Amino acid sequence: MTLSFDPEAVDLPSGHFIGGELVTANGRIGLRRPSDGADYADCPIAEPDVVDRAVETAQKALASSGWGSCIPRDRTRAMHRWADLMEAEAPALARLEAVSSTRPIAHLIAGDIAVTAEQIRFFAEMADKECSDLVPTQDGAMGMTVSEPYGVIGAITPWNFPISMAGWKLGPALAAGNAVVMKPSEMTPFSTVRLAQLAVEAGIPAGLFNVLLGDGPVTGNAITGHPGIRKVSFTGSTAAGAAIMENAARTGIRPVTLELGGKSPQVVFADADLELAANAIVRGILANAGQACVAGSRVIVEASVAEQFAGMLIERLPQIRPGPTWDADTDYSPIISERQIARIEAIVGDAIAQGAEVRCGAERLDRPGYFYAPTLLTGVDNDNPASQAEIFGPVLTLQTFTTEEEGVAMADHPTYGLAAGLFTRDLSRGLRVMRQLQAGTVWINRYGRSRDHILPTGGYKSSGIGKDLGREAFHANRRSKTVLIDIARPE
Ligand code: NAD
């Protein structure tokens, strides 16, 4: 069976999903398909009264279902069934996502959905491994810290990997016994609604996972500032993260987890396996056409091999299979919107005006939709716009260094610290440089995540606060209550 499909034939779920039901909605944002630029749907906007309704529904569902206080294994079982349904429904779920997003159908099925289902199982298995602590106290007393869920968590996700990003939030939040009110990006709303329908079909009580469609200023703002939201979990741009942190504090203090932007360096030493480094760097920047938070967009290479390495990148970068996301053979993604591709063009234009040399790309692909050619710019310094801004497109800059200290200094970005790559055959240098890189994740002799859900992800500096994935994400979805009991025999 081919995975290719007709985008016109996909039935899109319309409306918010509250208390286990689709709710028709007001307010419309017109949507265009990134693959061909066609108008195809509208996204509703949940106003504050709808947000109130969703939060109240989640609170009631928590109270009536006992989700946070049940035998934890019951949560585990329901979440396993949910993961099974995701896999069983993968083609239909992938079609909903491929219509609106930049994710090719084949990547969604083999990657995003398969990995998300496994990751839901990983967190499901954590539900009954969490223990409260009996702690040493003074004689005649007994002390405990009791681990409890927060209640209703507000989660907001971006458009670049809609199902995966939803999974990062939902797995730990639900396994830890919370309810969730989630807002996907207004550009890619539909697959998250289907995830919520599948959760109910799997036996996760209705009302525990609600989806509100809408934009940031109206719906997102109403969620992050809602007094009934006990914790906010956000993935998106640094600018929106800052606004959310402020808003979340304004109406009552609550914790925020922020997974934000990046401008990640790839430091290549002359002794590295250059073939391996070039392949990893090209794969890293071409994934989702550079629309990945961890896109390793700044290549920083030792001067003695710089020209050779630039040649290796120039040879590999154009080897792409662009196409609509609904074509099974597509391997190279469109850019999400006209606005975003125009932004890429503007930054590359400014970079060239400030001295950058185009070694390949730096233009749109001549085809329908919003496709940008893989691009390599050399002759840039750390002040060039292309090495400063998070471009969120398939654009690499290449800078050179002569000493280890200089390479490390160049890798340091004034704002971002999400991820970094490091290529060398010298183990001591690899570990030494790893310690100096100011990034939440360092990949050595590879670039990109594995399928090990135990490894957390998160940023240093303005790239974020807290972690998604790993044990840390589960623990971040619970809080601890201190208990002290007097047990001394009365005098
Ligand atoms: P964005 O910040 O524009 O939007 C993300 C989400 O936040 C959307 O759902 C949007 O509607 C909502 N939003 C925007 N402003 C808001 C506000 N004031 N209050 C509440 N909600 C608001 O980001 P984007 O363009 O959708 O995604 C790209 C960005 O996401 C990039 O910067 C990328 O690096 C980042 N990202 C980070 C990670 C990570 O793990 N660190 C992962 C994926 C994407």
Side-chain angles (χ1 to χ4, degrees):
M1 188 191 76
T2 176
L3 295 176
S4 299
F5 67 98
D6 174 4
E8 301 289 340
V10 177
D11 198 11
L12 303 167
S14 65
H16 317 299
F17 191 72
I18 303 175
E21 286 169 6
L22 274 178
V23 175
T24 50
N26 300 319
R28 301 281 156 194
I29 303 166
L31 298 179
R32 288 197 172 153
R33 293 193 295 242
S35 295
D36 63 1
D39 290 320
Y40 76 101
D42 292 315
C43 174
I45 299 176
E47 300 284 341
D49 62 314
V50 181
V51 175
D52 286 346
R53 179 174 159 193
V55 174
E56 220 171 278
T57 301
Q59 288 168 329
K60 284 188 183 150
L62 266 181
S64 62
S65 68
W67 181 255
S69 54
C70 66
I71 299 168
R73 202 73 205 157
D74 290 349
R75 295 201 291 272
T76 307
R77 266 195 297 275
M79 290 181 68
H80 271 288
R81 285 194 298 270
W82 185 33
D84 293 345
L85 274 184
M86 273 181 217
E87 283 175 345
E89 291 260 336
L93 191 54
R95 286 195 284 273
L96 281 178
E97 180 124 319
V99 168
S100 60
S101 79
T102 59
R103 306 293 301 135
I105 183 88
H107 293 204
L108 280 164
I109 290 182
D112 308 32
I113 295 174
V115 172
T116 299
E118 264 313 292
Q119 183 236 299
I120 294 294
R121 293 188 182 105
F122 169 86
F123 282 109
E125 285 299 332
M126 288 195 76
D128 63 349
K129 313 292 183 296
E130 171 85 346
C131 298
S132 298
D133 276 333
L134 195 60
V135 299
T137 46
Q138 65 190 48
D139 203 20
M142 189 176 269
M144 291 184 263
T145 54
V146 179
S147 164
E148 298 179 337
Y150 274 97
V152 184
I153 292 186
I156 298 190
T157 53
W159 49 262
N160 60 339
F161 295 93
I163 288 175
S164 307
M165 297 298 102
W168 284 12
K169 309 292 182 206
L170 292 163
L174 291 173
N178 301 283
V180 177
V181 173
M182 174 169 278
K183 190 196 86 61
S185 167
E186 57 275 37
M187 286 190 270
T188 52
F190 305 111
S191 52
T192 307
V193 174
R194 187 68 194 127
L195 277 184
Q197 289 174 319
L198 291 178
V200 173
E201 285 171 34
I204 294 177
L208 282 179
F209 172 18
N210 306 281
V211 182
L212 295 177
L213 307 188
D215 62 3
V218 177
T219 312
N221 204 50
I223 294 172
T224 59
H226 196 290
I229 294 288
R230 298 305 338 139
K231 174 187 156 72
V232 172
S233 183
F234 173 72
T235 297
S237 63
T238 294
I244 283 169
M245 198 170 175
E246 205 181 323
N247 194 44
R250 196 175 294 129
T251 51
I253 297 297
R254 73 208 74 191
V256 291
T257 299
L258 302 175
E259 297 291 347
L260 308 177
K263 186 69 186 170
S264 301
Q266 307 252 28
V267 185
V268 183
F269 287 92
D271 73 342
D273 179 335
L274 296 183
E275 290 278 331
L276 177 150
N279 290 337
I281 289 171
V282 167
R283 250 196 326 271
I285 196 68
L286 295 187
N288 210 24
Q291 300 163 107
C293 53
V294 293
S297 53
R298 290 190 297 137
V299 180
I300 295 171
V301 56
E302 198 163 345
S304 57
V305 294
E307 227 4 78
Q308 179 192 354
F309 198 66
M312 294 168 79
L313 296 177
I314 292 164
E315 187 189 318
R316 287 166 172 75
L317 280 169
Q319 293 177 25
I320 51 173
R321 281 202 317 276
T325 46
W326 46 84
D327 185 332
D329 291 330
T330 294
D331 197 36
Y332 184 67
S333 296
I335 302 300
I336 186 72
S337 63
E338 172 57 38
R339 185 159 160 241
Q340 176 60 16
I341 200 167
R343 182 174 173 274
I344 296 171
E345 287 177 316
I347 297 172
V348 170
D350 287 349
I352 295 167
Q354 293 189 35
E357 188 187 338
V358 176
R359 304 294 295 273
C360 68
E363 61 188 1
R364 290 186 192 222
L365 295 185
D366 184 16
R367 53 177 308 125
Y370 316 119
F371 287 84
Y372 199 79
T375 298
L376 178 68
L377 303 174
T378 56
V380 299
D381 57 20
N382 261 6
D383 294 328
N384 188 286
S387 29
Q388 280 291 315
E390 183 187 39
I391 298 177
F392 231 53
V395 181
L396 285 178
T397 58
L398 186 144
Q399 297 171 254
T400 61
F401 67 90
T402 47
T403 65
E404 187 176 304
E405 293 69 30
E406 199 190 350
V408 168
M410 254 180 209
D412 197 33
H413 190 281
T415 314
Y416 295 122
L418 192 56
L422 166 56
F423 297 87
T424 177
R425 284 192 169 103
D426 179 337
L427 176 63
S428 304
R429 175 159 57 198
L431 296 177
R432 190 166 63 234
V433 172
M434 174 275 290
R435 284 207 160 159
Q436 295 171 74
L437 290 171
Q438 298 300 304
T441 296
V442 177
W443 287 301
I444 303 179
N445 293 331
R446 62 172 287 133
Y447 200 79
R449 294 192 182 90
S450 62
R451 296 187 175 200
D452 302 299
H453 312 293
I454 189 80
L455 287 170
T457 181
Y460 279 16
K461 300 198 266 187
S462 293
S463 288
I465 298 176
K467 301 283 185 188
D468 276 340
L469 300 178
R471 283 181 290 226
E472 290 181 44
F474 181 84
H475 293 135
N477 280 279
R478 293 185 66 94
R479 53 189 171 175
S480 115
K481 180 177 280 171
T482 297
V483 180
L484 185 62
I485 315 159
D486 275 339
I487 57 169
R489 192 189 294 274
E491 290 297 316

